[in-house]
Amino acid sequence: MYRYDEFDRTFVKERVAEFRSQVERRLDGSLSDDEFRPLRLMNGLYLQLHAYMLRVAIPYGTLSARQMRQLAMIADQWDKGYGHFTTRQNIQYNWPKLSDVPAILDALAEVEMHAIQTSGNCIRNVTADQFAGVAFDEVEDPRPTAELIRQWSSLHPEFTFLPRKFKIAVTGAAHDRAAIKAHDIGLRVLRHPDTQAIGYEVSVGGGLGRTPLIGKIIRAFLPRQDLLPYLEALMRVYNSEGRRDNKYKARVKILVHETGIEEIRKAVEEEFAVMDGPSIAADLKEVERIAAYFAPPAYETLPAASTSLQAALESNAIFARFVETNSFKHKVPGYRAITVSLKPIGGAPGDATSDEMRALADAADQFSFGELRVTHLQNIVLPYVKDDDLFALWSFLTDHGLATANIGLITDIVACPGMDYCALATARSIPIAQAIATKFADPDRQKLIGELGIKISGCINACGHHHIGHIGILGLEKSGEESYQITLGGDATETASIGERLGPGVTADAVPDTIERLVDIYLAERQADERFIDTYRRVGLERFKGAIHAVDA
Amino acid sequence: MPLMRNLSFVADSFRHLGDNEAIPASGDIIVPLARLEEAANRLASHKGKLGIHVPNTVKPASLTAHFNEVALISVAFPAFSDGRGFSIARRLRRNGFTGTLRATGPLISDQYAYAKACGFDEIDLPEALAARQTVDQWKKGASAISLSYQRGYARPSTILDRRRAAH
């Protein structure tokens, strides 16, 4: 994985010192509160319901075991012994004191981490496919591209005071596991159909929030060397033309929606045409320098099938269920990527205690070349596990309560922090997730239902990505009561779609039963091995409407 | 208003002309964009420099034809958090403007380096803000981050170029 050189190290150190000075200048009155607010946000520091919240960047979700241990140390020393992994592959601490934040930033810098641009109206932490570099279906590892963009977007002189936040995601595979169409800019690495040269398909204007929109393709093929100049052109058009009169209409998705993709494409291409590309682009050597950090680890040459794994699978049904559910096909024979669920039945989705973080770091050291990934579905991936080691890993995870076998299933729920933590929330999210997971706790029933993604947001800002959940749940407040609006048919992948509203909102108590009735309708209608989303698309919304009972609303 | 230039507060030779004020025979003046033509027509007989003040909704390309008439372009920053002016400066410089570029509005010392990198020469600040943020703070703000990743901006060699030079 990427390692800082002297320049990266100095840069982050200077940024920490700058933030310390910003805190001091706020305290001595040189900076007004209005001036300080965006500055602290651009360093990941929010003022939440009960306390400050610090969001730490985990660029494209890649972490070393050493970094994970440091995150655990920070949780113990300056928080309440846990952290929350987010839908943007970051980690949030919910209880730091303002005066401790510079010390936390120092501790992060020690392990080449930071909180730069995890909030604010700037280019946010770049995300990528959690199986980057190991996925069987990959054209190219997207992380070197993501790292190049991370560096380029850091303290950008022109694009740090944008109309609104700006999120970029990169995937290197045809199957989109990075939800690129739900991002302000989505990049998909691909080969040119004629020349076979590597380049990018660029989409723009995706986003969730109040106005959910799927990104549109603005450039079908962008040659690799044009990446930074083209991004600069696109950002300049957005910085100049994006609305600033209404924060709810300030994202680039609204600009694209109101202006039209053709007009925006024309404006970006005109800007791009007059730029001096080579003076802006990273040269090939820099691209290669970054890519070298993501070279494959020292894989062993292994047979495609492991006899010890086969024996263990046959003798232990619980282990077999774990392997079936939580493993992902690797590009190297004899290896798998294993997803560790942070969604135990009854737990808070995405939360990990410091003990769990250390256990994950130990597992990574022992079984996965010391590397981990955070997924946008709030789980943790061990990307390089030998088939021969799977049973030992599972036993280790079981001992630490981390062997929940529910990846992609109905209890693998994404949820924002909701009213329990967030100042913006209008309803609770975590308790709803817990109640649904408890209702569907039976592993056999989960398996029978199959792939089904539930996503819950506690307010219209949609941090829980409910619009792109197969079943989305949005918590609102209606005359003093929580009311949950359910949407069906959302999809975060290359077949991206926004969920449709099922009907009137239901009470918190009624959510689990409503979900159960939806599942029953699906099971009754399901043909062959259709997933929930497939059945939904075939039979349509109407068939599911009976799941909402009048008494629940 | 206090003018920050080269990390000092300096005297401003320019004066903003009032909306109804006649164009004087001499002196460095800044007129609003709407009066550019009127002012430019008087340029031959005017003793002093001409500047224009533009809103941050201006299309920079519309100013190119006037580059040889104006010595200064003042770009409005209605709020420090409204970054449109940075892109305007960048485009004006790219389009060949070599005169003085002034940012006019409540920028903060933390933005000094950004403003310079995008092509601004000076910042015209509101009195109250200049009173709060000392020259020392502007100096610190300018040098807080000594390195940058973005190529093509008006500042010393970037991290990317230094990496290349080191190999």
Side-chain angles (χ1 to χ4, degrees), chain A residues 412-435:
Chain A
D412 184 5
I413 299 170
V414 170
C416 71
M419 195 111 103
D420 297 295
Y421 295 99
C422 181
L424 301 173
T426 44
R428 295 166 303 152
S429 305
I430 294 168
I432 305 301
Q434 289 166 328

Side-chain angles (χ1 to χ4, degrees), chain A residues 107-157:
Chain A
L108 289 169
E110 269 174 40
V111 293
E112 303 177 6
M113 294 182 78
H114 59 69
I116 298 171
Q117 290 166 217
T118 53
S119 178
N121 294 335
C122 50
I123 301 172
R124 302 285 188 90
N125 182 36
V126 183
T127 56
D129 184 351
Q130 68 266 23
F131 297 122
V134 303
F136 69 96
D137 59 349
E138 190 169 83
V139 175
E140 184 187 79
D141 187 339
R143 291 175 301 166
T145 296
E147 173 60 25
L148 183 67
I149 297 171
R150 181 192 75 81
Q151 296 186 18
W152 166 80
S153 62
S154 292
L155 307 189
H156 197 291

Side-chain angles (χ1 to χ4, degrees), chain A residues 5-23:
Chain A
D5 65 5
E6 56 183 302
F7 302 114
D8 300 311
R9 224 180 327 271
T10 303
F11 184 87
V12 169
K13 260 195 180 153
E14 289 181 344
R15 175 67 186 112
V16 174
E18 185 186 47
F19 182 69
R20 188 172 266 130
S21 140
Q22 288 166 344
V23 172

Side-chain angles (χ1 to χ4, degrees), chain A residues 307-317 319-320 391:
Chain A
T307 48
S308 68
L309 171 62
Q310 199 49 43
L313 289 173
E314 280 162 19
S315 64
N316 188 322
F319 170 61
F391 189 78

Side-chain angles (χ1 to χ4, degrees), chain A residues 5 8 14 22 25 30 35 151-152 154 156 158 161 232 236 239 271 278 281 283 286 289, chain B residues 59 82-84 87 90-91 94 109-111 132 137 144-146 149-151 153 155 163-164:
Chain A
D5 65 5
D8 300 311
E14 289 181 344
Q22 288 166 344
R25 280 180 284 137
S30 304
E35 288 162 350
Q151 296 186 18
W152 166 80
S154 292
H156 197 291
E158 187 179 345
F161 296 89
E232 186 177 311
R236 184 164 301 131
N239 191 38
E271 179 66 25
D283 70 10
E286 176 64 8
R289 185 194 75 87
Chain B
K59 298 279 177 216
D82 182 340
R84 278 178 279 195
S87 286
R90 179 94 164 125
R91 279 173 154 157
R94 186 189 60 216
S109 59
D110 303 82
Q111 293 176 303
R132 263 192 292 126
Q137 288 181 7
I145 310 288
S146 65
Y149 288 104
Q150 302 80 18
R151 300 183 67 227
Y153 286 80
R155 52 186 175 189
R163 278 177 181 148
R164 286 296 69 71

Side-chain angles (χ1 to χ4, degrees), chain B residues 4 7 12 17 20 23 26 40 50 52 70 87 93 99 112 116 119 129 142 151-152 155:
Chain B
M4 165 59 54
L7 297 172
D12 188 357
L17 215 58
N20 301 315
I23 291 173
S26 65
L50 174 63
I52 48 167
V70 297
S87 286
R93 287 300 186 212
Y112 184 84
K116 288 285 283 183
L129 190 141
R151 300 183 67 227
R155 52 186 175 189

